[in-house]
mmCIF file of all heavy atoms in Angstrom:
data_model
loop_
_atom_site.group_PDB
_atom_site.id
_atom_site.type_symbol
_atom_site.label_atom_id
_atom_site.label_comp_id
_atom_site.label_asym_id
_atom_site.label_seq_id
_atom_site.Cartn_x
_atom_site.Cartn_y
_atom_site.Cartn_z
ATOM 1 N N ALA U 395 -5.320 16.542 -1.831
ATOM 2 C CA ALA U 395 -4.262 17.205 -1.068
ATOM 3 C C ALA U 395 -4.584 17.348 0.420
ATOM 4 O O ALA U 395 -4.488 18.433 0.997
ATOM 5 C CB ALA U 395 -3.932 18.564 -1.696
ATOM 6 N N ARG U 397 -7.377 17.177 2.046
ATOM 7 C CA ARG U 397 -8.664 17.737 2.483
ATOM 8 C C ARG U 397 -9.622 16.616 2.859
ATOM 9 O O ARG U 397 -9.517 15.496 2.360
ATOM 10 C CB ARG U 397 -9.283 18.592 1.379
ATOM 11 C CG ARG U 397 -8.486 19.845 1.057
ATOM 12 C CD ARG U 397 -9.156 20.618 -0.069
ATOM 13 N NE ARG U 397 -8.437 21.844 -0.376
ATOM 14 C CZ ARG U 397 -7.378 21.905 -1.176
ATOM 15 N NH1 ARG U 397 -6.893 20.811 -1.739
ATOM 16 N NH2 ARG U 397 -6.785 23.054 -1.399
ATOM 17 N N PHE U 411 -12.440 25.532 -6.764
ATOM 18 C CA PHE U 411 -11.368 25.195 -7.715
ATOM 19 C C PHE U 411 -11.942 24.467 -8.930
ATOM 20 O O PHE U 411 -11.537 24.719 -10.064
ATOM 21 C CB PHE U 411 -10.286 24.353 -7.021
ATOM 22 C CG PHE U 411 -9.132 24.061 -7.926
ATOM 23 C CD1 PHE U 411 -8.115 24.997 -8.100
ATOM 24 C CD2 PHE U 411 -9.075 22.872 -8.646
ATOM 25 C CE1 PHE U 411 -7.059 24.748 -8.977
ATOM 26 C CE2 PHE U 411 -8.020 22.617 -9.513
ATOM 27 C CZ PHE U 411 -7.009 23.560 -9.667
ATOM 28 N N GLU U 551 -3.775 20.454 -14.215
ATOM 29 C CA GLU U 551 -4.784 20.935 -13.252
ATOM 30 C C GLU U 551 -4.405 20.516 -11.826
ATOM 31 O O GLU U 551 -4.484 21.302 -10.884
ATOM 32 C CB GLU U 551 -6.158 20.347 -13.624
ATOM 33 C CG GLU U 551 -7.240 20.741 -12.629
ATOM 34 C CD GLU U 551 -8.626 20.270 -13.059
ATOM 35 O OE1 GLU U 551 -9.017 20.533 -14.203
ATOM 36 O OE2 GLU U 551 -9.312 19.639 -12.219
ATOM 37 N N TRP U 552 -4.000 19.281 -11.675
ATOM 38 C CA TRP U 552 -3.672 18.739 -10.343
ATOM 39 C C TRP U 552 -2.451 19.473 -9.750
ATOM 40 O O TRP U 552 -2.409 19.839 -8.589
ATOM 41 C CB TRP U 552 -3.466 17.237 -10.493
ATOM 42 C CG TRP U 552 -2.970 16.412 -9.327
ATOM 43 C CD1 TRP U 552 -2.162 15.330 -9.417
ATOM 44 C CD2 TRP U 552 -3.262 16.557 -7.925
ATOM 45 N NE1 TRP U 552 -1.927 14.797 -8.171
ATOM 46 C CE2 TRP U 552 -2.588 15.533 -7.237
ATOM 47 C CE3 TRP U 552 -4.016 17.469 -7.185
ATOM 48 C CZ2 TRP U 552 -2.644 15.385 -5.851
ATOM 49 C CZ3 TRP U 552 -4.063 17.336 -5.799
ATOM 50 C CH2 TRP U 552 -3.387 16.294 -5.155
ATOM 51 N N ARG U 553 -1.457 19.742 -10.616
ATOM 52 C CA ARG U 553 -0.253 20.462 -10.185
ATOM 53 C C ARG U 553 -0.639 21.867 -9.719
ATOM 54 O O ARG U 553 -0.164 22.342 -8.682
ATOM 55 C CB ARG U 553 0.704 20.513 -11.390
ATOM 56 C CG ARG U 553 1.922 21.360 -11.257
ATOM 57 C CD ARG U 553 2.757 21.234 -12.528
ATOM 58 N NE ARG U 553 2.383 22.204 -13.547
ATOM 59 C CZ ARG U 553 2.951 23.389 -13.702
ATOM 60 N NH1 ARG U 553 3.939 23.760 -12.919
ATOM 61 N NH2 ARG U 553 2.548 24.202 -14.657
ATOM 62 N N THR U 554 -1.525 22.507 -10.448
ATOM 63 C CA THR U 554 -1.946 23.869 -10.095
ATOM 64 C C THR U 554 -2.695 23.859 -8.766
ATOM 65 O O THR U 554 -2.499 24.723 -7.911
ATOM 66 C CB THR U 554 -2.846 24.447 -11.209
ATOM 67 O OG1 THR U 554 -2.172 24.271 -12.442
ATOM 68 C CG2 THR U 554 -3.142 25.916 -10.991
ATOM 69 N N LEU U 555 -3.540 22.849 -8.594
ATOM 70 C CA LEU U 555 -4.308 22.736 -7.353
ATOM 71 C C LEU U 555 -3.389 22.551 -6.140
ATOM 72 O O LEU U 555 -3.630 23.110 -5.062
ATOM 73 C CB LEU U 555 -5.280 21.553 -7.485
ATOM 74 C CG LEU U 555 -5.990 21.026 -6.244
ATOM 75 C CD1 LEU U 555 -6.799 22.130 -5.573
ATOM 76 C CD2 LEU U 555 -6.923 19.879 -6.624
ATOM 77 N N SER U 556 -2.320 21.794 -6.344
ATOM 78 C CA SER U 556 -1.428 21.475 -5.209
ATOM 79 C C SER U 556 -0.755 22.723 -4.645
ATOM 80 O O SER U 556 -0.329 22.753 -3.494
ATOM 81 C CB SER U 556 -0.358 20.474 -5.647
ATOM 82 O OG SER U 556 0.700 21.136 -6.309
ATOM 83 N N LYS U 557 -0.679 23.762 -5.478
ATOM 84 C CA LYS U 557 0.018 25.003 -5.107
ATOM 85 C C LYS U 557 -0.578 25.621 -3.841
ATOM 86 O O LYS U 557 0.109 26.297 -3.088
ATOM 87 C CB LYS U 557 -0.167 25.983 -6.273
ATOM 88 C CG LYS U 557 0.839 27.100 -6.335
ATOM 89 C CD LYS U 557 0.951 27.579 -7.728
ATOM 90 C CE LYS U 557 0.178 28.798 -8.066
ATOM 91 N NZ LYS U 557 0.465 29.370 -9.345
ATOM 92 N N GLN U 558 -1.858 25.331 -3.599
ATOM 93 C CA GLN U 558 -2.544 26.002 -2.491
ATOM 94 C C GLN U 558 -2.197 25.456 -1.111
ATOM 95 O O GLN U 558 -2.634 25.999 -0.121
ATOM 96 C CB GLN U 558 -4.062 25.842 -2.657
ATOM 97 C CG GLN U 558 -4.631 26.512 -3.873
ATOM 98 C CD GLN U 558 -6.113 26.146 -4.043
ATOM 99 O OE1 GLN U 558 -6.670 25.375 -3.294
ATOM 100 N NE2 GLN U 558 -6.731 26.730 -5.065
ATOM 101 N N GLY U 559 -1.500 24.353 -1.015
ATOM 102 C CA GLY U 559 -1.406 23.762 0.326
ATOM 103 C C GLY U 559 -0.132 23.014 0.615
ATOM 104 O O GLY U 559 0.870 23.153 -0.100
ATOM 105 N N PRO U 560 -0.175 22.175 1.652
ATOM 106 C CA PRO U 560 1.040 21.506 2.129
ATOM 107 C C PRO U 560 1.510 20.338 1.268
ATOM 108 O O PRO U 560 2.444 19.643 1.637
ATOM 109 C CB PRO U 560 0.620 21.012 3.528
ATOM 110 C CG PRO U 560 -0.843 20.873 3.463
ATOM 111 C CD PRO U 560 -1.343 21.904 2.497
ATOM 112 N N TYR U 561 0.832 20.092 0.137
ATOM 113 C CA TYR U 561 1.303 19.033 -0.769
ATOM 114 C C TYR U 561 1.933 19.678 -2.013
ATOM 115 O O TYR U 561 1.959 19.074 -3.068
ATOM 116 C CB TYR U 561 0.136 18.152 -1.227
ATOM 117 C CG TYR U 561 -0.388 17.177 -0.203
ATOM 118 C CD1 TYR U 561 -0.857 17.592 1.034
ATOM 119 C CD2 TYR U 561 -0.429 15.808 -0.470
ATOM 120 C CE1 TYR U 561 -1.351 16.706 1.974
ATOM 121 C CE2 TYR U 561 -0.924 14.906 0.461
ATOM 122 C CZ TYR U 561 -1.382 15.368 1.681
ATOM 123 O OH TYR U 561 -1.879 14.476 2.594
ATOM 124 N N ASN U 562 2.412 20.888 -1.857
ATOM 125 C CA ASN U 562 2.803 21.694 -3.021
ATOM 126 C C ASN U 562 3.851 21.012 -3.924
ATOM 127 O O ASN U 562 4.999 20.822 -3.530
ATOM 128 C CB ASN U 562 3.357 23.031 -2.501
ATOM 129 C CG ASN U 562 3.490 24.044 -3.602
ATOM 130 O OD1 ASN U 562 3.628 23.680 -4.769
ATOM 131 N ND2 ASN U 562 3.445 25.320 -3.239
ATOM 132 N N PHE U 563 3.420 20.663 -5.144
ATOM 133 C CA PHE U 563 4.380 20.127 -6.127
ATOM 134 C C PHE U 563 4.230 20.871 -7.453
ATOM 135 O O PHE U 563 4.449 20.312 -8.522
ATOM 136 C CB PHE U 563 4.210 18.605 -6.296
ATOM 137 C CG PHE U 563 2.874 18.164 -6.823
ATOM 138 C CD1 PHE U 563 2.650 18.039 -8.187
ATOM 139 C CD2 PHE U 563 1.839 17.858 -5.959
ATOM 140 C CE1 PHE U 563 1.419 17.643 -8.674
ATOM 141 C CE2 PHE U 563 0.602 17.455 -6.441
ATOM 142 C CZ PHE U 563 0.387 17.350 -7.807
ATOM 143 N N TYR U 564 3.907 22.151 -7.335
ATOM 144 C CA TYR U 564 3.691 22.967 -8.532
ATOM 145 C C TYR U 564 4.928 22.959 -9.451
ATOM 146 O O TYR U 564 4.822 23.078 -10.666
ATOM 147 C CB TYR U 564 3.334 24.393 -8.118
ATOM 148 C CG TYR U 564 2.967 25.272 -9.286
ATOM 149 C CD1 TYR U 564 1.813 25.021 -10.025
ATOM 150 C CD2 TYR U 564 3.785 26.337 -9.664
ATOM 151 C CE1 TYR U 564 1.484 25.805 -11.114
ATOM 152 C CE2 TYR U 564 3.456 27.134 -10.750
ATOM 153 C CZ TYR U 564 2.308 26.857 -11.479
ATOM 154 O OH TYR U 564 1.979 27.624 -12.551
ATOM 155 N N GLY U 565 6.082 22.781 -8.838
ATOM 156 C CA GLY U 565 7.327 22.782 -9.638
ATOM 157 C C GLY U 565 7.544 21.510 -10.443
ATOM 158 O O GLY U 565 8.482 21.437 -11.244
ATOM 159 N N CYS U 581 7.769 20.617 -3.734
ATOM 160 C CA CYS U 581 8.590 21.158 -4.812
ATOM 161 C C CYS U 581 7.803 22.330 -5.407
ATOM 162 O O CYS U 581 7.093 22.176 -6.403
ATOM 163 C CB CYS U 581 8.824 20.059 -5.853
ATOM 164 S SG CYS U 581 9.773 20.619 -7.251
#
Side-chain angles (χ1 to χ4, degrees):
R397 294 179 178 83
F411 184 83
E551 177 175 309
W552 173 214
R553 172 178 89 93
T554 309
L555 167 58
S556 81
K557 201 155 99 170
Q558 296 173 357
Y561 285 58
N562 193 335
F563 62 90
Y564 185 66
C581 178

